[in-house]
Structures are given as structure tokens and as C-alpha cells.
Amino acid sequence: MGKVAVLGAGSWGTALSIVLADNDHEVALWSHREEQVEQINNDRENKQYLEGIQLDQLIHADTNLEKIVKDADAILFVVPTKAIRQVCQQVKPYVTSEQTIIHASKGIEPETNKRISEMMAEELGPEIGKGIVVLSGPSHAEEVGRRQPTTVTVSSLQIDQAIIVQDLFMNENFRVYTNEDLVGVEIGGALKNIIALGAGISDGLGYGDNAKAALITRGLAEIARLGKHLDANPLTFAGLTGVGDLIVTCTSQHSRNWRAGNMLGKGYKLDDVLDQMGMVVEGVRTTKAAYQMSKKLEVNMPITEGLYELVVNDKPAKDVVDDLMNRSKADELEQISNG
């Protein structure tokens, strides 16, 4: 492929642009802020989101969506979940069925409980929607931008489209697998942000490795239970977008969801945390959506429910932990399969 349009000039969109440029693709990077575009093009660096990493001359930023998308062989959406529909609506007049459509965002829409590919298909139309490819996995933008070894997964209802994207991104630093389980890949990538939020809270409260290991393990059980109800392949959650993504987001200070949870655990109010972060914390929004899904589908998700009480009803973090620890006794394997 020649030109790839990357919609979203945050840390992750910029990091993926670096991968694409390393593979000799022309990258048209879209931002809605003129000052950011000028800074990227003039300084060859995205100082706000990926400071200290030089950008190849193949990467050019612009605010004009039509110009960005026109003649692109592939379009990569890397915008927050809450902006997906709006951006899809803006680019729809310029998108064609010949273009490969990819998203690398992680989240679920509250109220509708739609996955990102479902939201995009509704806005872009079924002909384009059926070929959407999701790119997901354990991947901090800071490390990808510095070309540190990273492995991700791509998935689509049309596996030939996933293979195209695999070839588009794969290089010596960025290994890409394919996975035919689109539902599982998106669910795992979205819900791990909830557990990362909880891991940060645990650390903020001063708890140790035992508590975090329990949280990650039981969090994985919740993700798998919900995935099972949505007909995902359980093996997906033992892979990169399950265990892999949980490890990287629950144990690293690079994770914005961990950082937000850490502040909540230390007693900061949610609004203050979000103001100080300066970036979207997808785990907060996804917690609300996953809680709604668990009630609708009657899936037992106690960690998600506890975090929902914290972020929506301002329940003290210590009380959430106490409630989780004092639940009625249960069998572990039965809990994993049945809740």
C-alpha cells in the first residue's frame, strides 16, 4: 500500500504512524487542532503525546479530513470511543469500499453496548462495515514509538482483510498475528481497561502483589464470562487481547487507566483525576457500558459492579475492596464458567 490515513494524533495514533512509516508507507495523520498539526509538521515530533521521538518525513499531519482520506489505500481510526460515530459521519462521504478500514481503539459504547466495529458499521454502512479490521493487543504507545518489541493481533469478519493489515504493519519490531474471533478481540481489548483501573486502585490503596494477582485473575474470569455470552472464543482471552493486554495495562505506569485508578485509590475524586490526566481514560466509560451489559445479559461481574459503584456513585475504594473480599464462598472453576 502507498498512503494510509491515520485519524487521531494522540500517542497511539502517532506510534502506529511510526510503524507504518518504518514500513515505507506514506502516512496522512489527522488532528482537529491546527496548532498540533503545525507543531508536528514543523518540529517532526508530537510533543504533547509522544515527546522525544522523531517522526519520519513520510508522516504529514493535516486538519482537512477530505484531504487526509482521499486516495488513501487504508484508513486507520485511532480516536476515543466517544468520538467514533462523529468521525465516521465526517469521513463517510469520502470513504469507498475499495479502502481497507481499520480501528485501533478500545471501548464499548454505554447505553447501546455496541463494540467499536459495530458502531462504525452503523455509521459507514454494511458494505464497508463487514470488512472492518480491529488491531489490538498489549502495546504501550511509548514503547511502540521507540521501536521496542511489541506483538498485537488483527481480526475481521473477512479474514483476507485482516491479512492485508497484518502485512501493512508487521516488521522486525512489531509482530502481528491474525485471529478470526472479532468479538473476543474487541471485548478483551475493551474490558481490560476496567481491570487496569482496579489494579491502579489496589496499588493506590497500598495493597501488594497478592491483591493485584487476584484482581487480574478474577478480572480475566469476568471478561471470559461476558465473552462467552457474546459467542466469543474462550481461547482468545488466553491470548494477546486477554491475558497479554491485562498484564501490560495492570502492571505499568504507562497505562493511563492504571494511573487514573492509582489516583482514585489515593483518595482523589474522579473529576479531579480526569482533569489531571489530560487524556481519555477509556476504563471509566467502559465500566459503565460493561455494567449495563452484565445486568442485561445476567452475567455475574462483581469487580465491574464494584468499580461502577465507585466511578458512578462515588463509593469509597476501600469499601469496594471489602465487599469483594467478603462475598459468599464459591468454587473457583465453577465461578470461571458460570459466575
Side-chain angles (χ1 to χ4, degrees):
M1 289 187 181
K3 177 183 174 182
V4 181
V6 178
L7 310 184
S11 57
W12 191 215
T14 305
L16 290 175
S17 296
I18 291 170
V19 176
L20 292 165
D22 284 348
N23 290 348
D24 295 324
H25 300 297
E26 176 191 351
V27 179
L29 180 61
W30 175 74
S31 170
H32 66 279
R33 293 189 293 116
E34 186 65 48
E35 64 272 18
Q36 185 185 29
V37 165
E38 292 179 1
Q39 187 269 305
I40 288 173
N41 291 335
N42 293 334
D43 301 334
R44 295 285 90 210
E45 180 184 351
N46 189 341
K47 292 184 178 180
Q48 181 178 359
Y49 293 106
L50 220 54
E51 187 176 7
I53 299 177
Q54 286 298 111
L55 302 180
D56 192 281
Q57 292 295 331
L58 285 170
I59 300 171
H60 183 80
D62 206 305
T63 58
N64 187 321
L65 265 177
E66 181 178 5
K67 182 179 177 182
I68 288 280
V69 173
K70 186 178 180 181
D71 300 328
D73 298 289
I75 304 172
L76 170 64
F77 289 76
V78 201
V79 296
T81 307
K82 65 180 182 181
I84 285 288
R85 289 190 185 275
Q86 180 183 5
V87 176
C88 283
Q89 291 165 7
Q90 288 177 299
V91 302
K92 184 177 180 179
Y94 319 121
V95 175
T96 70
S97 58
E98 285 75 37
Q99 293 170 311
T100 297
I101 309 298
I102 316 156
H103 87 75
S105 302
K106 297 176 180 179
I108 299 172
E109 187 176 40
E111 308 307 331
T112 69
N113 302 149
K114 298 285 187 181
R115 293 176 284 107
I116 291 176
S117 65
E118 293 177 309
M119 296 161 58
M120 293 175 66
E122 286 182 353
E123 300 299 337
L124 297 176
E127 183 63 28
I128 291 172
K130 65 184 179 183
I132 292 170
V133 181
V134 54
L135 184 152
S136 187
S139 47
H140 289 312
E142 296 85 353
E143 296 182 7
V144 172
R146 290 182 170 83
R147 298 171 177 84
Q148 295 182 3
T150 300
T151 304
V152 299
T153 291
V154 290
S155 183
S156 176
L157 296 176
Q158 297 182 339
I159 195 62
D160 60 319
Q161 290 297 306
I163 293 172
I164 289 172
V165 176
Q166 181 182 40
D167 293 337
L168 188 68
F169 281 94
M170 190 159 170
N171 61 34
E172 60 184 5
N173 303 310
F174 199 78
R175 181 168 177 79
V176 185
Y177 288 89
T178 57
N179 184 329
E180 295 187 33
D181 180 21
L182 177 65
V183 174
V185 168
E186 286 192 297
I187 288 294
L191 267 62
K192 59 89 183 179
N193 285 328
I194 301 174
I195 309 305
L197 199 64
I201 291 171
S202 178
D203 288 335
L205 287 166
Y207 297 145
D209 294 338
N210 293 353
K212 188 183 292 187
L215 182 72
I216 293 172
T217 307
R218 299 310 305 168
L220 179 61
E222 288 194 13
I223 294 171
R225 277 201 300 273
L226 182 62
K228 177 184 175 182
H229 276 73
L230 298 172
D231 296 324
N233 183 344
L235 290 177
T236 295
F237 304 114
L240 291 167
T241 61
V243 173
D245 227 345
L246 276 171
I247 291 171
V248 82
T249 53
C250 292
T251 62
S252 173
Q253 295 185 27
H254 284 316
S255 166
R256 67 187 69 172
N257 291 282
W258 180 92
R259 296 201 307 273
N262 189 254
M263 293 177 68
L264 290 170
K266 290 178 177 177
Y268 289 85
K269 296 297 183 182
L270 180 61
D271 289 344
D272 295 332
V273 170
L274 298 179
D275 286 342
Q276 290 190 41
M277 289 293 294
M279 293 185 287
V280 174
V281 180
E282 287 284 8
V284 173
R285 198 166 187 261
T286 304
T287 295
K288 299 174 184 177
Y291 174 80
Q292 293 168 355
M293 292 178 74
S294 72
K295 296 305 180 185
K296 179 180 179 180
L297 298 174
E298 298 183 347
V299 178
N300 190 27
M301 300 180 70
I303 296 173
T304 300
E305 184 168 349
L307 291 173
Y308 176 85
E309 290 296 327
L310 189 153
V311 301
V312 173
N313 298 324
D314 202 27
K315 186 172 184 176
K318 179 65 166 58
D319 291 351
V320 171
V321 175
D322 288 345
D323 287 348
L324 287 170
M325 290 300 293
N326 289 295
R327 296 174 66 229
S328 59
K329 63 183 182 180
D331 178 271
E332 181 186 16
L333 298 186
E334 182 179 343
Q335 278 269 299
I336 291 174
S337 58
N338 300 320

